[in-house]
Amino acid sequence: MTPSGGPMLVATRWSHHPGKRQVAAVVGVPATTVRGWLRRMAERLEVMRSWFLHLAVVAGVDVTIPDTTGCRWRDVLSAVETAAAAVRSRFGPAGFVGAVTPVRVAVAASGGRLLAPGWPSAAPRPDATPVAPDAGGDDR
């Protein structure tokens, strides 16, 4: 497990196991680390969900946005899984560095900063490949 992928693994475990100590034991980090990850994630669940759904729409073709489940934690996991499916459909099941998994997509999309202060700093770009964004509409 990579440290930057830990929060997504914790969120996955958290949706199935209620105890921080149990989750910490499964993931292999101290319970205080898990508590900190959960606190930071709880502060930005909707932002994270929106970020990963946007990634899914930009990377995928005919992406179906998942319905909310009533649990913000599961909604984020569903958004990450949707983004991973979109990336897999676009680039294949094995990327340049191995299998395209939800954890790898979360780490790559966040630049390893999933729980860093200020991430995401702004809304995701509106398109995957901007063409001369500063051109101002001049097509010469």
Side-chain angles (χ1 to χ4, degrees):
M1 176 194 74
T2 62
S4 55
M8 289 313 300
L9 293 174
V10 168
T12 302
R13 297 292 183 182
W14 184 255
S15 68
H16 301 293
H17 301 287
K20 291 176 195 72
R21 286 188 178 100
Q22 289 175 327
V23 173
V26 169
V27 178
V29 297
T32 54
T33 300
V34 172
R35 188 173 29 252
W37 284 345
L38 293 171
R39 186 175 46 248
R40 281 188 293 276
M41 286 181 76
E43 294 169 356
R44 57 179 86 163
L45 288 171
E46 186 55 37
V47 172
M48 290 169 59
R49 178 179 180 271
S50 297
W51 181 270
F52 289 110
L53 288 177
H54 178 81
L55 171 64
V57 169
V58 169
V61 177
D62 294 331
V63 173
T64 301
I65 302 298
D67 292 331
T68 58
T69 64
C71 173
R72 296 181 316 145
W73 293 93
R74 287 192 182 106
D75 291 345
V76 168
L77 292 172
S78 180
V80 172
E81 289 167 2
T82 301
V87 170
R88 258 191 313 274
S89 73
R90 171 68 64 97
F91 300 106
F96 295 113
V97 293
V100 177
T101 65
V103 170
R104 285 186 174 169
V105 169
V107 171
S110 69
R113 298 184 40 145
L114 191 63
L115 298 178
W119 184 89
S121 59
R125 294 192 64 107
D127 51 11
T129 53
V131 178
D134 299 325
D138 188 6
D139 291 342
R140 288 188 259 169

